[in-house]
Amino acid sequence: MTVAKGTVIFSSTKMAPVGSSLCSPTTYFLLSPSMQRVSRKMNGNRHGIKFRVSNVMAESAAGTTERTSFGFKNLTETFWVDVHRAQGRQLNLSLNSPLSLGSTSFEKMDNVAIRVELSNGCVGWGEVPVLPLVAGNQANALEKVRETCQFLNQSQPMTLNFILDAIGAILPGGEFASVRAGVEMALIDAVANSIDVPLWRLFGGVSNSLSTAITIPDVSPDEASELASKYCKLGFNTLKLKVGRNINADIEVLRAIQDVHPRCSFILDANEEYTSDEAIDVLRKLNDMGVTPLLFEQPVHRDDWEGLRDVSIVARDIYGISVVADESCRSLNDVQKVMKENLASVINIKLSKFGILGTLEIVEIARKSGLNLMIDGLVETRIATGFAGHLAAGLGCFKYVNLNTPFLLAEDPVVGGYEVSGSNYKFTNARGQGGFLKWHVVS
């Protein structure tokens, strides 16, 4: 074999093709001089390629091939990514009913879809949910997606951990977390497709199913009653309500729902709308009604740490209700503050807040602390929702699940994906997340 001068060789018996899983424990690893420069530039002295490979495939006694290990970390270090084409497009869909998030009401979804195709022909899909406080607006999100896709289209083959590090450098911090999550999503999905492994197995394989709550949008008591009756028949036992704009109106909606679905549990999401005194008053009024919410989510402004603590103490110690920190947790530092100062009982994880890698880091820290976890989404299709569901089922550590916004969309642009039976999602053994967007409907 002839090797260019300056190439670093880690000898073995054969070389794995670029864009494939390194399935053999003895494999050639070649770094050309240009790849060495890319590696040093991207990682400095902090990281290096780890050329330790575990068998991803093993021969069974019958001689057939069976998967035995799908460690995500190992995969990032051993899978070489060669992007053939990466694209981003607008993903615009109408909602069945307006959805209120804080003081803003939405009648349609204006997201960004991402499609990544590797040189081996495998495709992965990602989605960027766009809201004013997440990714700014669609135009800005699409610009950052296309900038990142241009990098992917021009990049040389590199291991998945290197390319994810590069994405993190292009899209740093909380400002670009939503876009970063979408790109990471597409790359990881494409890689999982390449090794013929479903995402839920890749993330741990604890379970291939989960049950979700369902959101009642900002509607009148009569409309809320109608929706609650419908969801009761479908088997949804936990309903999430957006509250906070008018305490009395919120109470009327709760009463209307209770009349038709008396055994349901409530998640109340105030989206920062109450003061601490108002939030505590709501808890008192609910107690007088005989209603004990399962969770009370983000009752006060994101920066009102003292108020969050006060409401959490009253909710937990007097009424036995867990308070969820959502908007207050925008970074790892915020999560650590909540843990250290015991400001809430539950952390709400959204992939769009932290990115995929950031989410995995936070989950690991939260699990060690004993803090309960909730996984949630924004206004998304079954692409982003499915990825989050695979991750949650695979890790098996989320006590609360609220992944339901595809139910709020007027149409479903996704082919395949997870199977839905009322509130239950089942993730099959189809490779990757098992679904794809009807690309022709994405503008």
Side-chain angles (χ1 to χ4, degrees), residues 89-93 109-113 127 138 381 437 442:
R89 295 183 184 177
Q90 295 178 354
L91 178 56
N92 304 320
L93 295 169
M109 180 195 81
D110 296 318
N111 290 354
V112 176
E127 181 179 357
Q138 189 183 50
T381 72
L437 278 168
V442 185

Side-chain angles (χ1 to χ4, degrees), residues 110-170:
D110 296 318
N111 290 354
V112 176
I114 302 167
R115 181 184 185 274
V116 171
E117 182 180 352
L118 304 184
S119 62
N120 60 14
C122 290
V123 173
W125 297 88
E127 181 179 357
V128 181
V130 179
L131 294 170
L133 295 177
V134 182
N137 58 60
Q138 189 183 50
N140 291 342
L142 185 58
E143 180 181 357
K144 294 304 294 185
V145 166
R146 286 176 172 167
E147 176 187 334
T148 309
C149 286
Q150 183 178 8
F151 162 78
L152 293 174
N153 289 328
Q154 296 174 350
S155 65
Q156 300 183 51
M158 63 185 79
T159 51
L160 180 58
N161 61 341
F162 274 12
I163 204 163
L164 291 175
D165 277 352
I167 298 305
I170 297 170

Side-chain angles (χ1 to χ4, degrees), residues 212-387:
T212 181
I214 189 76
T215 299
I216 302 287
D218 184 26
V219 293
S220 68
D222 287 344
E223 291 172 304
S225 174
E226 184 178 343
L227 286 172
S229 178
K230 169 187 172 182
Y231 294 142
C232 179
K233 292 175 183 176
L234 288 173
F236 286 92
N237 295 316
T238 303
L239 306 181
K240 181 173 180 177
L241 278 74
K242 302 292 183 178
V243 298
R245 290 196 293 176
N246 184 304
I247 294 176
N248 292 329
D250 295 339
I251 296 295
E252 288 303 312
V253 169
L254 280 166
R255 283 180 174 145
I257 291 173
Q258 244 191 343
D259 287 343
V260 297
H261 199 341
R263 294 184 180 85
C264 73
S265 298
F266 290 110
I267 298 175
L268 302 185
D269 185 2
N271 281 119
E272 312 177 69
E273 290 295 304
Y274 293 132
T275 66
S276 58
D277 288 341
E278 288 173 336
I280 291 171
D281 187 45
V282 167
L283 291 173
R284 180 186 59 78
K285 289 181 177 179
L286 291 176
N287 185 66
D288 291 343
M289 289 173 55
V291 175
T292 303
L294 180 66
L295 300 172
F296 195 14
E297 186 176 340
Q298 198 59 47
V300 298
H301 189 272
R302 64 188 63 193
D303 296 322
D304 185 5
W305 297 105
E306 183 178 353
L308 182 63
R309 180 193 292 111
D310 291 344
V311 177
S312 185
I313 290 172
V314 171
R316 181 185 62 240
D317 295 347
I318 297 179
Y319 301 110
I321 299 169
S322 295
V323 166
V324 184
D326 181 6
E327 285 83 0
S328 288
C329 290
R330 292 156 286 176
S331 67
L332 176 59
N333 288 339
D334 291 337
V335 173
Q336 290 172 326
K337 180 180 177 68
V338 170
M339 294 176 187
K340 182 179 179 180
E341 300 180 23
N342 197 23
L343 302 178
S345 302
V346 184
I347 294 293
N348 190 339
I349 299 289
K350 293 185 176 81
L351 302 185
S352 56
K353 288 199 295 184
F354 309 116
I356 311 303
L357 298 187
T359 292
L360 294 174
E361 181 180 14
I362 287 171
V363 166
E364 182 177 1
I365 292 171
R367 291 173 80 171
K368 292 177 181 178
S369 75
L371 196 67
N372 285 321
L373 292 170
M374 174 182 182
I375 192 160
D376 206 338
L378 295 175
V379 186
E380 302 159 334
T381 72
R382 290 195 300 118
I383 291 297
T385 299
F387 194 101

Side-chain angles (χ1 to χ4, degrees), residues 30-41:
L30 283 80
L31 283 182
S32 68
S34 59
M35 271 301 295
Q36 294 172 50
R37 288 193 295 273
V38 170
S39 302
R40 286 193 293 268
K41 182 177 180 181

Side-chain angles (χ1 to χ4, degrees), residues 27-77:
T27 307
Y28 270 126
F29 297 89
L30 283 80
L31 283 182
S32 68
S34 59
M35 271 301 295
Q36 294 172 50
R37 288 193 295 273
V38 170
S39 302
R40 286 193 293 268
K41 182 177 180 181
M42 288 171 53
N43 293 278
N45 295 322
R46 188 168 61 90
H47 294 295
I49 298 182
K50 299 180 181 179
F51 293 98
R52 175 183 58 80
V53 185
S54 300
N55 276 338
V56 179
M57 311 292 283
E59 294 298 321
S60 69
T64 57
T65 303
E66 296 179 353
R67 303 179 189 86
T68 58
S69 175
F70 309 109
F72 177 71
K73 184 177 185 298
N74 183 66
L75 184 66
T76 66
E77 297 168 346

